[in-house]
């Protein structure tokens, strides 16, 4: 695995980390922008990120991994493949045909779930995801976030 310094340089080269003037989803202006979606196009760096995140976690606490749609889905998938912990997929919205489920995958009530989020600013998308996962009688045992913008999301 490459060093974290090399990892961040690769992220910069891929355009994941940008400097300038950006308006965030929250409406706040920022001198930098982090878009983790391009990670899915670089398997090596995605795998390295998955392993960095897994190193931080007590893996025996989780039965399932779920990524917050959409940017965290490839990260959660890579983490599942590296750890052999099953993945469940949370939809942004339920389809109005078929099973009409918000949570897809094989799981049982009462299982512990790790949520994976790319960036946390306000925390609203995490709060929604927690509620929807818990509605399926799953327990959100922990959350791992790649970037905390330190704008109140963690506290919420």
């Amino acid at each position: 695995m490459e060093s974290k310094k090399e990892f961040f340089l690769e992220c910069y080269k891929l355009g994941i980390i940008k400097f300038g003037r950006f308006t965030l989803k929250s409406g706040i202006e920022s001198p930098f922008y982090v878009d983790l979606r391009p990670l899915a196009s670089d398997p090596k760096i995605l795998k390295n990120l998955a392993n960095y995140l897994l190193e931080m976690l007590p893996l025996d606490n989780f039965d399932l991994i779920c990524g917050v749609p959409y940017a965290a889905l490839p990260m959660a998938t890579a983490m599942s493949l590296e750890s052999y912990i099953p993945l469940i997929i949370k939809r942004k919205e339920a389809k109005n045909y078929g099973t009409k489920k918000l949570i897809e995958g094989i799981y049982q009530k009462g299982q512990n779930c790790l949520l994976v989020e790319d960036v946390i600013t306000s925390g609203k998308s995490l709060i929604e995801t927690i509620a929807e996962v818990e509605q399926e009688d799953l327990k959100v045992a922990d959350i791992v976030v790649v970037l905390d913008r330190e704008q109140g999301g963690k506290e919420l």
Side-chain angles (χ1 to χ4, degrees), residues 113-138:
C113 183
L114 168 68
L115 288 186
V116 180
E117 177 66 296
D118 64 334
V119 178
I120 185 171
T121 305
S122 69
K124 289 178 187 169
S125 56
L126 263 174
I127 294 293
E128 289 171 16
T129 301
I130 291 168
E132 290 162 352
V133 167
E134 289 179 343
Q135 216 168 3
E136 295 295 316
D137 291 322
L138 298 171

Side-chain angles (χ1 to χ4, degrees), residues 91 93-102 104:
R91 295 181 174 279
E93 61 276 327
K95 291 182 181 179
N96 54 6
Y97 58 89
T99 62
K100 302 180 183 179
K101 293 169 70 174
L102 269 176
E104 300 286 354

Side-chain angles (χ1 to χ4, degrees), residues 29 44 57 137 143 147:
E29 276 211 8
K44 180 182 169 200
L57 299 163
D137 291 322
I143 299 167
L147 174 67

Side-chain angles (χ1 to χ4, degrees), residues 4 8 10 22 28 36 41 56 58 71-73 84 93 102-103 105 111 114 128 130 135-136 149-151:
K4 288 189 173 116
F8 286 114
E10 284 298 312
F22 303 93
I28 297 169
L36 294 163
S41 298
M56 300 181 340
L73 291 175
Y84 298 99
E93 61 276 327
L102 269 176
I103 307 292
Q111 285 185 301
L114 168 68
E128 289 171 16
I130 291 168
Q135 216 168 3
E136 295 295 316
R149 292 196 67 98
E150 297 185 355
Q151 295 175 331

Side-chain angles (χ1 to χ4, degrees), residues 136-149:
E136 295 295 316
D137 291 322
L138 298 171
K139 182 178 183 263
V140 175
D142 208 341
I143 299 167
V144 65
V145 177
V146 177
L147 174 67
D148 179 359
R149 292 196 67 98

Side-chain angles (χ1 to χ4, degrees), residues 53-63 85 114 141-142:
L53 296 173
L54 289 168
E55 285 172 12
M56 300 181 340
L57 299 163
L59 297 182
D60 51 354
N61 286 3
F62 314 111
D63 306 305
I85 297 172
L114 168 68
D142 208 341

